[in-house]
Amino acid sequence: MTSTTEVPTLPHLPCVICRQPATIQCTTCTYPCFTCSGEHHRQHDVACRSGSLPNGISVQSSVSAGGISCYAAETYTVNALIMRVDADHPLFEAVTCMAIRSPADSWATTPLPHVAQFFQDARAALVHHRGPQMERLDNPYQIFYCPMSLCGLRRVCNRAVARLVEGSNPMPLPWLGPVVVLKYASMMCDAYVDVTPDDLGNIQAYFAGYGLWRREGQRR
């Protein structure tokens, strides 16, 4: 049986069986394939176990066993902002990403970053569209975090985030768990570009504001 992982942050990816929004990613495939339910994943599993999926970095089209289509994808690398819990400061590190194209919608791409190595537990993501003055950003940020940590199940304060928001007044509450920040190339959110030192102001404003929001919520 193949392994799966939930992808609640990517609901716009279509199921390889029915094209409905997908919530399950097959992690055994050479390529990322997505399904919307356990039943459809079992159908995909037949193709996955057959070994018929393509093995390569860039593939223009692919059809798996049983006529179940998979995704064409290309890989590229961008710099992301990595904030580990035990790091003294944020670091810029290369992250490999896939530009996924569905055979049914070859004009549309969905970016999928490989960030699992930065998280021990489950991860989730949000898209941040606003700057320090609540202006709409031309290049939104996708912020990956550990929901188990933020819920208090793993109370490990992130030293890198603390350094990022150092000097904020008032000082926000500590951030719990690891963080990875990527930057979208445009408001379309269909590709990533490098996070650079010029982005630190926008990212710092988000984490400072989020910590203050949590503090206000605890006072109520």
Side-chain angles (χ1 to χ4, degrees):
M1 183 69 180
T2 61
S3 60
T4 65
T5 184
E6 296 293 324
V7 285
T9 60
L10 300 173
H12 54 291
L13 284 170
C15 171
V16 294
I17 307 298
C18 66
R19 305 303 182 198
Q20 295 300 307
T23 57
I24 302 172
Q25 176 187 349
C26 176
T27 56
T28 302
C29 291
T30 302
Y31 253 13
C33 291
F34 302 87
T35 50
C36 67
S37 66
E39 176 60 33
H40 283 179
H41 175 71
R42 284 188 287 274
Q43 292 182 41
H44 162 72
D45 181 50
V46 175
C48 185
R49 285 186 289 108
S50 73
S52 61
L53 299 180
N55 182 12
I57 292 179
S58 177
V59 176
Q60 298 303 315
S61 63
S62 63
V63 178
S64 64
I68 301 172
S69 58
C70 298
Y71 292 95
E74 297 175 354
T75 61
Y76 60 98
T77 301
V78 297
N79 283 332
L81 188 67
I82 311 299
M83 292 184 276
R84 296 180 175 86
V85 294
D86 57 352
D88 291 329
H89 51 79
L91 298 172
F92 295 97
E93 295 186 23
V95 170
T96 301
C97 307
M98 277 190 171
I100 305 171
R101 291 179 174 83
S102 167
D105 301 295
S106 59
W107 58 271
T109 62
T110 299
L112 183 67
H114 291 217
V115 296
Q117 68 270 27
F118 301 109
F119 297 88
Q120 282 187 321
D121 302 303
R123 63 191 180 277
L126 57 88
V127 178
H128 180 50
H129 292 274
R130 299 290 178 180
Q133 306 302 319
M134 297 306 294
E135 70 276 19
R136 190 166 181 84
L137 297 172
D138 293 332
N139 302 95
Y141 301 95
Q142 188 173 31
I143 302 172
F144 287 85
Y145 62 94
C146 175
M148 292 180 63
S149 296
L150 288 188
C151 289
L153 298 179
R154 290 185 179 274
R155 299 191 60 82
V156 181
C157 295
N158 189 310
R159 289 163 49 188
V161 174
R163 174 62 64 87
L164 181 69
V165 300
E166 194 173 50
S168 298
N169 187 19
M171 192 65 181
L173 290 176
W175 183 277
L176 303 177
V179 175
V180 175
V181 182
L182 291 106
K183 184 170 71 172
Y184 284 114
S186 70
M187 293 182 184
M188 296 292 290
C189 298
D190 55 1
Y192 296 115
V193 293
D194 289 335
V195 179
T196 71
D198 292 338
D199 296 300
L200 291 178
N202 290 333
I203 298 170
Q204 186 271 347
Y206 170 78
F207 284 97
Y210 179 83
L212 294 176
W213 174 80
R214 287 190 65 193
R215 188 185 295 278
E216 290 298 320
Q218 290 184 359
R219 290 174 180 171
R220 294 175 184 174

